[in-house]
Amino acid sequence: MRNIKFFDTTLRDGEQSAGVNLNLQEKLEIARQLERLRVDIIEAGFPASSKGDFEAVKQIAETVRTCSVTGLSRSVRSDIDAAWEALKGGAEPRLHLFIATSPIHMVHKLRMTPEQVIEAAVEAVKYAKRFFPIVQWSAEDACRSELPFLAKIVAEVIKAGASVINIPDTVGYITPKEYGEIFLYLQNNVPNIENVSLSAHCHDDLGMAVVNSLSAIEHGATQVECTINGIGERAGNAALEEIAVALHIRKDYYQVETRLNLQEIKRTSNLVSKLTGVVVPPNKAVVGKNAFAHESGIHQDGVLKEKTTYEIISPELIGVPSNSMVLGKHSGRHALRNRVEELGYTLSDEEINQLFVRFKELADKKKDITDDDLIALIFEEKFDPFKDFYQLSSIQVQYGTNQIPTAVVVLKDGKGNEIQEAATGAGSVEALYNTLERCFQTEVTLLDYRIESVGGGRDALAQVFVKVRVRDVETSGRGTAQDVLEASAKAYINAMNRVFMIEAMRAENEKVATS
Ligand code: KIV
Ligand code: ZN
């Protein structure tokens, strides 16, 4: 059976989703989880694009040992140099070089002739080969390129040293049959193509990213590029979990193997959804909440008699836990640490100690602490790198049917200074957010506000997710607390801390660029 490599680009193309800004801690945790999922290649970012991306790619390359780590690069020497600096400490450094090959992109974006594009691509591959053992070359907008030109440039970059050729459907335009035909065309028209791996990279603008990727596999691709939950630019990329499970369930048809650990799929999907704030629709194939829910009486009856009547994928296959372990106020530090590790999170001793304090506080108010509660606490503890930024000290909100809702908030800034403000609003959350806006003395546009309970029950934790725009920064924030208003305040402050961090990083980048 042929082996198919999974190239995960959640941290690069996935992170290009509108409003998604992952910080270093969050990227590292996703990379560790991708390693547990046993993807073959992790595209960790675009090192030349910013100082933050460079640092994240470098740290991921130095942390991940059992996957190859790669970074994106334009066909220019300065990008390749930055990528090498970031990736050289990796277990198997590889470079992902790209240049556009469609007439639309060459004329309007690159303003280069086809000959100039070939020259730039060849020169970039040759330069990259001085450093990188593996160079992957991508023809951006390949699917709207002229096939003879595509074959010509592919032949040239193979001669120059590229060992993986990627054929992206950058704008999600191609159909499955046409995409398969491009792979066949290249195999029939490019000398030495049998010495390289062919890769598929599909976007979902017409809802065909997964099926196009599968078509590429049927027509000779041995690598697929995808993201967890299908997140990505515009309508997103091909969803890794859907391709992986389709190849597994229909092995009889596709006749291929992968090295993925499918049992890690659900956990990876949850982690990416929580950290990016991109919700998984309930009916999403494989990882949606309802993917295994049998609603109609006839289906329930069938499944009770024999699961396979209506169930082609078992929840266990993708690691959906059959029961959720419960901890309580008598559980000790040891039990907590065990459960955290079983849930797949890596926490330092200090983080465990802090988590234990939060766990005990919660256990005093809530009888059973479920896995979901624990994960919510871990997220608060581990993924809040803003301890030195603004923190909530207290809130007081007054609401009555015949009163004007009023909020008073006290914040602490990184230097320990207190900021206190009060304001009113049409409802409690608006009063609270008007007050916070005063505290930060800047105009904040609230683009999204979502609230959900962690698990069930009246004493469930509240988790709030917000998306904000401040000046030209769009980002998200989340907060968890037992009270919905406290969770709302925390989510808003978390988003504002991210805004300040992004602005500080941008200013730093500008300083570097002008020095
Ligand atoms: O979609 C695309 O063309 C890309 C390339 C940069 C590979 O993401
Ligand atoms: Zn892409």
Side-chain angles (χ1 to χ4, degrees):
M1 281 201 191
R2 277 190 307 147
N3 189 271
I4 301 300
K5 288 199 164 142
F6 274 76
F7 175 116
D8 181 277
T9 181
T10 306
L11 295 172
R12 200 276 298 169
D13 228 347
E15 219 233 352
Q16 285 172 220
S17 310
V20 172
N21 289 298
L22 296 165
N23 61 44
L24 180 61
Q25 276 290 342
E26 293 168 333
K27 286 184 183 175
L28 269 169
E29 196 63 24
I30 291 178
R32 286 197 195 98
Q33 182 55 30
L34 291 170
E35 195 175 17
R36 281 186 211 110
L37 178 61
R38 287 171 56 78
V39 301
D40 297 271
I41 301 134
I42 297 174
E43 186 165 44
F46 185 172
S49 67
S50 70
K51 215 170 155 243
D53 241 39
F54 176 88
E55 203 43 48
V57 175
K58 187 165 172 0
Q59 293 221 18
I60 291 170
E62 284 164 6
T63 306
V64 167
R65 293 289 100 192
T66 59
C67 310
S68 183
V69 176
T70 191
L72 188 67
S73 164
R74 287 169 299 185
S75 300
V76 291
R77 288 190 174 203
S78 53
D79 274 28
I80 300 170
D81 292 339
W84 176 242
E85 279 311 306
L87 289 161
K88 64 184 179 194
E92 189 194 54
R94 70 171 67 203
L95 184 66
H96 182 187
L97 268 179
F98 77 100
I99 194 163
T101 55
S102 67
I104 302 179
H105 278 233
M106 290 191 291
V107 171
H108 300 291
K109 188 183 79 175
L110 298 178
R111 305 217 160 112
M112 285 164 85
T113 63
E115 288 66 35
Q116 286 170 328
V117 170
I118 295 184
E119 202 181 306
V122 167
E123 139 72 15
V125 173
K126 283 189 178 156
Y127 184 68
K129 277 302 281 183
R130 292 196 205 165
F131 312 99
F132 287 90
I134 306 173
V135 173
Q136 160 166 330
W137 181 82
S138 283
E140 192 190 10
D141 206 16
C143 296
R144 291 190 300 169
S145 303
E146 285 162 5
L147 286 183
F149 177 68
L150 191 61
K152 189 168 163 195
I153 191 165
V154 167
E156 292 302 323
V157 294
I158 294 176
K159 260 197 267 164
S163 46
V164 182
I165 299 295
N166 184 36
I167 306 298
D169 180 20
T170 306
V171 292
Y173 175 77
I174 205 85
T175 65
K177 186 164 173 283
E178 289 168 323
Y179 198 45
E181 281 164 6
I182 297 182
F183 282 81
L184 290 181
Y185 181 89
L186 293 175
Q187 287 164 85
N188 292 329
N189 291 280
V190 176
N192 293 335
I193 194 105
E194 61 286 354
N195 299 335
V196 302
S197 313
L198 291 180
S199 173
H201 176 114
C202 298
H203 281 268
D204 209 29
D205 299 66
L206 295 175
M208 293 193 277
V210 168
V211 73
N212 283 340
S213 307
L214 292 168
S215 169
I217 291 174
E218 282 186 82
H219 293 91
T222 52
Q223 177 175 297
V224 271
E225 304 196 359
C226 32
T227 59
I228 302 297
N229 300 335
I231 63 167
E233 189 89 45
R234 309 181 308 278
N237 289 57
L240 180 146
E241 63 281 359
E242 293 184 25
I243 303 175
V245 172
L247 293 180
H248 177 83
I249 298 289
R250 296 306 314 274
K251 204 180 222 167
D252 60 320
Y253 177 79
Y254 288 107
Q255 298 281 318
V256 297
E257 276 177 337
T258 76
R259 64 161 215 159
L260 292 174
N261 177 3
L262 298 181
Q263 293 246 310
E264 292 292 337
I265 282 188
K266 184 66 180 172
R267 203 201 308 263
T268 318
S269 163
N270 286 346
L271 181 72
V272 169
S273 172
K274 285 229 161 72
L275 291 180
T276 56
V278 180
V279 212
V280 175
N283 61 334
K284 165 103 171 52
V286 180
V287 288
K289 197 163 102 245
N290 295 347
F292 304 103
H294 301 281
E295 191 63 30
S296 95
I298 295 174
H299 287 207
Q300 286 176 351
D301 180 54
V303 170
L304 285 174
K305 287 178 178 145
E306 167 54 49
K307 269 194 181 166
T308 53
T309 48
Y310 289 101
E311 203 171 273
I312 61 160
I313 313 167
S314 75
E316 293 79 31
L317 176 77
I318 59 154
V320 175
S322 49
N323 61 349
S324 166
M325 169 130 173
V326 172
L327 298 176
K329 74 173 179 201
H330 300 297
S331 309
R333 200 179 302 252
H334 190 64
L336 178 72
R337 178 185 279 285
N338 274 353
R339 195 60 199 145
V340 167
E341 281 167 9
E342 276 162 16
L343 288 170
Y345 292 91
T346 354
L347 264 66
S348 65
D349 286 347
E350 201 197 319
E351 285 167 339
I352 285 282
N353 289 344
Q354 281 162 0
L355 182 71
F356 191 62
V357 174
R358 300 286 316 276
F359 165 77
K360 284 288 175 188
E361 278 168 14
L362 184 61
D364 275 340
K365 299 184 201 147
K366 189 173 187 292
K367 188 167 166 286
D368 294 332
I369 310 291
T370 63
D371 288 347
D372 286 340
D373 292 326
L374 212 48
I375 291 170
L377 292 185
I378 295 171
F379 270 69
E380 287 264 295
E381 203 43 62
K382 186 160 173 68
F383 301 115
D384 185 7
F386 303 117
K387 301 210 166 66
D388 299 334
F389 285 57
Y390 293 92
Q391 293 287 331
L392 179 67
S393 292
S394 67
I395 56 169
Q396 201 184 323
V397 181
Q398 266 181 337
Y399 174 81
T401 39
N402 297 323
Q403 276 178 356
I404 296 173
T406 311
V408 180
V409 175
V410 183
L411 293 187
K412 251 196 196 119
D413 71 11
K415 297 186 187 106
N417 303 320
E418 281 200 343
I419 306 162
Q420 180 167 346
E421 283 292 349
T424 58
S428 323
V429 175
E430 199 198 347
L432 183 61
Y433 282 7
N434 287 345
T435 312
L436 281 164
E437 195 175 32
R438 280 195 183 170
C439 291
F440 288 112
Q441 295 181 352
T442 187
E443 200 184 318
V444 181
T445 310
L446 187 66
L447 301 170
D448 195 7
Y449 171 89
R450 271 185 276 129
I451 181 159
E452 56 184 39
S453 75
V454 178
R458 286 186 205 192
D459 60 356
L461 287 173
Q463 205 157 44
V464 171
F465 172 85
V466 295
K467 201 184 254 185
V468 298
R469 188 182 317 114
V470 180
R471 294 172 282 278
D472 61 343
V473 178
E474 221 176 83
T475 191
S476 58
R478 38 169 204 272
T480 309
Q482 227 170 6
D483 180 80
V484 292
L485 292 171
E486 190 180 329
S488 303
K490 283 182 166 176
Y492 189 102
I493 297 164
N494 181 258
M496 290 306 290
N497 280 333
R498 280 172 199 260
V499 170
F500 297 130
M501 191 178 225
I502 292 167
E503 289 186 332
M505 275 165 60
R506 280 188 187 169
E508 182 75 12
N509 281 341
E510 271 162 32
K511 230 169 50 196
V512 173
T514 50
S515 65

